[in-house]
Amino acid sequence: ITTQENVATFKRQIKMLGLSYDWSREINTTDPNYYRWTQWIFLKIYNAWYDPQLHKARPISELLIPSGLIGREKYEFIQKHRLAYLSEMPVNWCAELGTVLANEEVGEWVEKGYTVERRMMKQWMLRITAYAERLEKDLNDVDWPPGIIEMQKNWIGRSEGVEAYFPLCDSKSKISVFTTRSDTMFGATYLVLAPEHPLVDLVTTSEYRIVVDEYRSQSKRKSELERTSLDKEKTGVFTGGYAINPATKKSIPIWIADYVLLTYGTGAIMAVPGHDERDYDFAKKFSLPIVEVVSGGNISQAAFLEDGVGVNSANDEISLDGLPTSEAKKKMTKWLEFKQVGKHSVKYKLRDWLFSRQRYWGEPFPLIYLEDGTVKALPEDKLPVLLPDVESYKPSGSGESVLATIDSWVNTVDPETGKPARRETHTMPQWAGSCWYYLRYLDPSNKTEFLSREKERYWMPIDLYMGGAEHAVLHLLYARFWHKVLYDLGYVSTIEPFRKLVNQGTILGEDGQKMSKSRGNVVNPDDVIKEYGADSMRLFEMFMGPLEDTKPWSTRGVEGVHRFLNRVWRMIVNEDGSLHESIKDMPLTGDQERLLHQTIKKVTHDVESLDFNTAISQMMIFVNEFLNLETKPRKAMETFVLLLSPFAPHIAEELWGKLGYPRTLAYEPWPQYDELKTAVDTLEMVIQVNGKVRSKLAVPFDIDDEELKKIVFADENIKRHLNGKQILKIVIVKNKLISLVVK
RNA sequence: GCUGAAGUGGCGAAACUGGCAGACGCGCUGGACUCAAAAUCCAGUCCGGCUCACCCCGGGUGUGGGUUCAACUCCCAUCUUCAGCACCA
């Protein structure tokens, strides 16, 4: 109900502004006719696996299952390979609220006195990490702002290194660590595990158990941001356990510390305090040994040298002595692989996508649980799985969605066997619907397919995707991921969905703050349109500044463009509403023709490059020039109205009518300019002496250099500044300036 | 903290590839019109200096350096602000 009300308001406002959307393509992600296809795409993802050999997703039916596997083992094997899978994941759990919180919400509730802790919860995950390499590589072929590409690449965070195994002293197990600096392994003097690391229990000795457990429960209460901040004091405790450094063969202590995250790498690191700042700080604080292995480093600065000049480290089997870092890394990696204590590895910062929510709203998963606890996907003909009507959509408090409390909805049957089954009660995040809406626009009312192949071929890819900069990483990555899965499975034909991307900036309140109800600085378009009209509102939004900039609203500014539109009106229309008597069928003067063609050129180019603010400036210059003329060439007025029409369509249509055209201007061709007619025949040349502007002279266009010098040296001002000094150099920039260097 | 972006008059901004800093608009000042006001029109408006009328001179694009005949633009350092940081979407 609330969504429908919001949609109605947005539509009314969009129509009021005269934005020319094709409403026959309207979609709504909360409409079952839409979200049945969101569920359908989920099924495609669920019923697919990633083939690392072919580097693409394939239907799960094409997964080669080891011959020995049957029954439950076979099921587990398949589940493990799906692109959607269940996993225990840490979430911010607030018991009083009975719900999971976003990182950004945690601080707010803790301040109010609620307790929030990290708790493991079974969640649906999407295997976006399988696509990490392609998501990064394919960014090279899109026309996006370089900053956004950079952010995405850093988010994906590819790093190359080794995974090395440190055997435990008191057990057969070993700890895997990931490092990009295998050459420093001789300097690894201790290991650090994330507090949630599964091996913590095993390595912790009885005498340290209490301290370790205490530390683990403390770190549960910290957010990830708090844990990894470099400016915060590092904390950690010893577990009592030891492991063997495969390079030095020495036993080294195992610690846990919350600056190590379970979600990155292997959740464990080898600490090299001689060459890493964080390790150095940590070792200093807890008096752990520090060994310098890369010469040229400076321990007091804890320099992590990328280009160390040589390595002093050796054991009986391998020596890295004297090798530069890059060589040392290669040699070390080979040795680790040969000894089977490590392997070359590429890790990404990117994590799999936690895709389930415990909320009422959101698309239900088209999945059921059978009596034996196994998961089963519903067949496509059972879609959509509708949300039930509820009295209240407050969380159940148990951590489950409110859906879990509705027995009539939860209890169902396996459509194949007729046996009892329970529905998945988690729902999808709001991202799901927005991951593919651009595809549905192409074929919004298709009842049998999510998108017809023909229409997909005709329209895709998207020429220009405009959205807020806040989507730089998440939405744009999620949508690209879904698109690539659909591509692999043969449902779309392009590897990337969005060819060109532009981020429009946020319009702030008049006080320069983000608009919000609580601040009371929200500008309602309804009020603005009522006061100044839709054209003024549109025009001002475009005139405020560059499209991509964040900039504050200004009511004065709207008045400014409103005045401009009034001037445009008075330029063409008399007070009694008739066509202005100054408008005549007459040729343009040379100056008028130049200004007209310059204006056509500027507006045309600026529209193409989305520089609307400067296009409007040029139109203002045009009007300032023509407004009060005794006689105005009709041709100039008509052309101007056409240029103005995309910016202020309502007034432009009215003026077009006043100019005697009974039909809309919408189908008129866009004005063309003649480059020759934009040119001036004389221009102002700037004359600099020692880098300072000393004079300006009117000279003919494309004046000859010798001719120019003659005029310049004759200039009184210049003569005074030269004053018999020696001329060392003369720089001439054609049709711009001449620069004299004197001594 | 990490990643990315941005800092230019009183304000929003412009300046295309290194070539006159401040176009255009707002605001402000003065004037015209009016009994008066609104609206509109005209003139002025980066800061400072002068024999501040015309000229002319000095300084100026967050800060400190550098490259260059010439720097808002390029390089190094630094400060500040904004966006994102995976359950706001």
Side-chain angles (χ1 to χ4, degrees), chain A residues 290-329:
Chain A
I290 298 169
V291 175
E292 189 182 11
V293 290
V294 182
S295 60
N298 178 338
I299 293 197
S300 62
Q301 291 173 355
F304 198 3
L305 290 181
E306 268 305 331
D307 52 353
V309 290
V311 173
N312 316 305
S313 44
N315 65 17
D316 306 343
E317 301 157 64
I318 180 173
S319 167
L320 301 177
D321 283 356
L323 290 177
T325 300
S326 58
E327 295 298 316
K329 279 188 199 174

Side-chain angles (χ1 to χ4, degrees), chain A residues 334-348:
Chain A
K334 271 195 190 138
W335 181 75
L336 289 168
E337 283 176 347
F338 174 72
K339 301 295 282 181
Q340 299 193 330
V341 288
K343 63 172 189 220
H344 175 259
S345 167
V346 175
K347 293 272 186 240
Y348 294 91

Side-chain angles (χ1 to χ4, degrees), chain A residues 649-684:
Chain A
H650 306 94
I651 195 174
E653 285 287 358
E654 285 296 317
L655 291 169
W656 194 243
K658 297 287 182 194
L659 284 162
Y661 295 96
R663 272 185 293 274
T664 174
L665 53 64
Y667 305 107
E668 295 299 318
W670 184 251
Q672 301 294 309
Y673 65 91
D674 181 344
E675 186 68 50
L676 289 175
K677 289 179 178 163
T678 64
V680 286
D681 31 46
T682 61
L683 48 83
E684 203 176 50

Side-chain angles (χ1 to χ4, degrees), chain A residues 43-284:
Chain A
L43 285 180
K44 293 294 156 199
I45 295 170
Y46 178 77
N47 287 318
W49 63 291
Y50 200 81
D51 183 337
Q53 258 82 50
L54 298 182
H55 298 285
K56 60 178 282 199
R58 299 172 63 185
I60 201 77
S61 57
E62 294 174 12
L63 177 65
L64 194 66
I65 298 160
S67 53
L69 294 184
I70 48 157
R72 191 73 184 207
E73 282 189 335
K74 180 178 166 189
Y75 167 82
E76 299 287 354
F77 181 84
I78 294 170
Q79 292 310 102
K80 216 171 68 189
H81 283 83
R82 294 183 188 274
L83 291 184
Y85 63 96
L86 275 172
S87 175
E88 289 280 339
M89 293 301 292
V91 293
N92 302 311
W93 173 250
C94 179
E96 290 101 316
L97 293 170
T99 187
V100 174
L101 297 176
N103 278 341
E104 66 158 24
E105 296 170 312
V106 171
E108 182 189 328
W109 289 102
V110 168
E111 256 170 53
K112 289 181 189 166
Y114 290 71
T115 47
V116 179
E117 61 169 38
R118 305 282 280 181
R119 169 176 146 181
M120 299 305 274
M121 227 184 222
K122 206 151 223 181
Q123 302 278 8
W124 282 101
M125 307 292 291
L126 299 190
R127 209 180 296 282
I128 189 172
T129 51
Y131 282 83
E133 193 184 333
R134 285 165 60 187
L135 285 168
E136 189 200 60
K137 196 176 65 95
D138 294 344
L139 284 172
N140 297 328
D141 303 320
V142 293
D143 179 11
W144 288 17
I148 303 289
I149 291 180
E150 199 61 22
M151 264 196 265
Q152 283 221 355
K153 285 195 173 177
N154 290 330
W155 184 266
I156 295 165
R158 181 180 199 276
S159 57
E160 215 165 318
V162 296
E163 206 174 314
Y165 318 123
F166 286 62
L168 296 179
C169 291
D170 303 316
S171 147
K172 287 237 158 55
S173 293
K174 56 195 177 183
I175 292 171
S176 270
V177 305
F178 175 74
T179 176
T180 57
R181 291 298 301 267
S182 54
D183 58 310
T184 64
M185 192 176 275
F186 285 95
T189 52
Y190 58 94
L191 294 182
V192 188
L193 304 185
E196 309 87 349
H197 196 286
L199 287 175
V200 172
D201 277 329
L202 184 69
V203 300
T204 302
T205 57
S206 52
E207 63 182 304
Y208 289 94
R209 178 75 58 195
I210 294 170
V211 191
V212 166
D213 286 348
E214 171 59 24
Y215 185 80
R216 292 174 91 184
S217 70
Q218 266 174 30
S219 63
K220 269 189 188 171
R221 290 183 216 117
K222 289 197 203 167
S223 73
E224 212 159 279
L225 205 62
E226 273 180 278
R227 288 173 51 167
T228 51
S229 285
L230 279 174
D231 62 339
K232 295 257 165 61
E233 182 90 338
K234 296 283 162 293
T235 61
V237 294
F238 181 42
T239 60
Y242 288 86
I244 306 289
N245 179 334
T248 61
K249 304 274 167 37
K250 287 182 185 150
S251 80
I252 58 174
I254 302 168
W255 285 61
I256 61 171
D258 59 18
Y259 74 92
V260 176
L261 301 176
L262 189 63
T263 44
Y264 180 62
T266 60
I269 60 162
M270 64 174 205
V272 185
H275 302 284
D276 180 272
E277 201 173 336
R278 283 198 298 188
D279 296 345
Y280 178 80
D281 292 343
F282 193 82
K284 269 281 179 208

